[in-house]
Amino acid sequence: MLNDRKKKILQLIIEDYISTAEPVGSRTIARKYDLGLSPATIRNEMSDLELLGYLEQPHTSAGRVPSAQAYRLYVDSLIEPGALSDNERALINGWFNERRRSLDEIFQSTAKILSRMTQNVSMVLANRDAGARFRYMKFLPLDEHHAILCIITDDGNVDNCVVEIPLGMRPEELDYLAGKVSRLLEGRELSEIDEELLQIIHSNIAEDKLLFTSLVQSLRRLRNKHMEQKVFLGGTKQLLNQPEFRDVERVRNLLGILEEERVVRDLLKSGEDSGLKVTIGSENKFSGIQDCSMVQATYRLNGKIVGTMAVLGPTRMEYGKVISVMDYLHKYLKTMFEHENNK
Amino acid sequence: MLNDRKKKILQLIIEDYISTAEPVGSRTIARKYDLGLSPATIRNEMSDLELLGYLEQPHTSAGRVPSAQAYRLYVDSLIEPGALSDNERALINGWFNERRRSLDEIFQSTAKILSRMTQNVSMVLANRDAGARFRYMKFLPLDEHHAILCIITDDGNVDNCVVEIPLGMRPEELDYLAGKVSRLLEGRELSEIDEELLQIIHSNIAEDKLLFTSLVQSLRRLRNKHMEQKVFLGGTKQLLNQPEFRDVERVRNLLGILEEERVVRDLLKSGEDSGLKVTIGSENKFSGIQDCSMVQATYRLNGKIVGTMAVLGPTRMEYGKVISVMDYLHKYLKTMFEHENNK
DNA sequence: TGTTAGCACTCCAATGATATGAGTGCTAAC
DNA sequence: GTTAGCACTCATATCATTGGAGTGCTAACA
């Protein structure tokens, strides 16, 4: 185990490196932070820390750089959480209030804020269904062959799509049909509308084959749309602010990976079970981002996963700041969703 | 005026430079393209072209690079349009078919295709209203205090928002009110729903103040939403493929500009009147992109502007290819929209 | 035993000198 | 009008030199 002094020195090295992105030398530590120790002493400690695997030297005459192991220790026990400043909080509130009309926009804002505050790429995976329940459906006539199917959920969301209807079907017939299906589905979560249930509807109301087929198709589509997990990215531009990404080639690699929605989705899903998860460097099993770190938080509402947000950046990341921001966003979103649900 | 030989040489230089991004020397032209001329002759011609302002030399002992004036001539009279290959066409069709459920998705796909095909940043400005006409509106009851206002337009789109309703108002009353307002607005374009018209509605149906206020508010909001011009960006990542953007600083500058939706909107609007517009280098008056070129096309449907698409990249741009792609997309979208409208 | 000053050593990064070569411009001959 | 020949230019690559930041080690000190 490390004694207190070693821990303190390691912490200072990590924090210095995080803010300067330059290898840290013994003189720097002695000069910048008042430890009452000479560079030589610090040098000895650093030498020990290197042997223990916490520090690495890019080359003999450079300073030292924290290893993944050091960051791990830092995140697990050295970090001082530290709340956001009033200023930062005001900034976040301002950004959120800019636009927050729909759920999607809230998630988009979250991604944007996360990346702006942390100067890194952010990702938000939104589980859209979030336990919404079917309330009722209704047809709005459009023309002779088409009507709009509206589905209302208990959170006040409406979804619609155009369905084909048999020529000459009267509005009353449509209303009757809508009522019948509505009674079957009322109160169910959208995720419950599975193939089996659709089959039951089918056999229950086989009065009009054509309409029925298109109705079921539409229901299925709407259900899928609701179930669909959507990925929001933020701050891909911020990447360029990090000295680690001076090299265009590296930027391109990472952006290439982020472009694959499927990959991002898997990446985010991999950490869904734990509330807060920090993955450092090669701890991450996804290829292409093994020289990056990721901080990830999962949100639940009444036990259900609402979404996952993450910040991806170089291992040299302001872990403390990232975690504070996420924490604040978490609380913010929580009240927002709860309010939404009680409406 | 330039004689044919000068034109031919200029064209070859431009095309060589476009494909290699390296200054073109006289030897290169003589070797690569069989003009039956020696490098010396070509050198003389190039010297003339430089005096005439068509070529520039980065430094004495480098080859020559086309000037903005040269690109202008190239675009205006040297370019050979050239259709897309079957392969490319199939690629585009495939990308479009991936997802094209909503208008927004079509525009997003357009941006994506545009950028993938041209290896440059693309922008699409969508005028959402596109001449849609009000058909009718309807209230869908939600709870005691709220209903969902649905507005159906003649292109089959539905828009909705939650409105507050007076406690205890019966569905029939809501239907009556909806019918009344519907009759007033039926057949009008959404853009026509201006403050004046809203006032008329107000004075016509003053039966219930509270409901009325929230109804008008919602109508206004929906109108604005429909009128809103939305910007879709594509291929900001492609930037990094262009040698002109090897320098991270330049990338950052441009991305910073593109991040400002307002700027992009203005940029696109500036070229709305002409069908196809090519702006080369400093011809563009917007600061920050004066070393870029932009190819822009505006789409109309029944005389109304539906949207504008543009490709932004280094002045060394495959103008011919870009124009062909836009042309194809134009036709593609046209049939798509027309089909949409006749549905 | 822990701390520190001193000093030799390492090695990157910056600097400058030199060479290379692509490309031009000019002249004279065809 | 075209072309071969040649001197000239200048960016880029290469290599040696230097300066400095940082380390490791040793010996002295508290």
Side-chain angles (χ1 to χ4, degrees), chain B residues 106-232:
Chain B
I106 290 178
F107 285 123
Q108 189 62 67
S109 290
T110 306
K112 182 174 145 190
I113 292 168
L114 211 45
S115 62
R116 294 227 180 151
M117 295 295 291
T118 65
Q119 294 287 310
N120 275 309
V121 176
S122 67
M123 305 174 278
V124 175
L125 178 68
N127 284 356
R128 329 276 280 309
D129 75 330
R133 288 170 188 281
F134 186 96
R135 180 170 283 173
Y136 66 91
M137 57 182 266
K138 186 143 185 105
F139 290 104
L140 301 177
L142 197 57
D143 59 32
E144 291 170 325
H145 302 282
H146 299 92
I148 292 160
L149 171 62
C150 288
I151 293 186
I152 290 88
T153 49
D154 64 353
D155 54 0
N157 273 320
V158 187
D159 233 318
N160 63 74
C161 62
V162 176
V163 293
E164 233 174 297
I165 54 170
L167 193 62
M169 191 170 223
R170 281 172 303 128
E172 301 83 60
E173 294 177 81
L174 285 171
D175 280 350
Y176 172 72
L177 188 62
K180 210 161 166 184
V181 177
S182 292
R183 276 186 294 280
L184 272 165
L185 294 177
E186 195 186 345
R188 289 183 194 263
E189 290 190 9
L190 290 176
S191 54
E192 285 180 78
I193 306 183
D194 52 12
E195 295 303 317
E196 197 187 344
L197 193 53
L198 289 174
Q199 280 313 315
I200 295 178
I201 299 175
H202 194 180
S203 50
N204 245 332
I205 319 180
E207 287 155 33
D208 191 301
K209 279 263 164 64
L210 173 66
L211 174 59
F212 192 74
T213 314
S214 77
L215 170 63
V216 168
Q217 255 177 19
S218 305
L219 269 174
R220 196 174 289 149
R221 198 162 46 189
L222 284 180
R223 194 265 319 253
N224 288 340
K225 188 173 158 193
H226 262 269
M227 299 277 293
E228 187 185 28
Q229 295 184 310
K230 206 165 168 184
V231 171
F232 301 86

Side-chain angles (χ1 to χ4, degrees), chain A residues 142-154:
Chain A
L142 197 58
D143 60 33
E144 291 170 324
H145 301 281
H146 299 92
I148 292 160
L149 171 63
C150 286
I151 293 185
I152 290 88
T153 49
D154 63 353

Side-chain angles (χ1 to χ4, degrees), chain A residues 92-111:
Chain A
I92 293 183
N93 297 353
W95 279 330
F96 257 127
N97 289 330
E98 249 174 43
R99 25 172 51 219
R100 53 157 189 195
R101 290 178 289 194
S102 67
L103 258 186
D104 278 7
E105 278 171 338
I106 290 178
F107 285 122
Q108 189 62 66
S109 290
T110 305

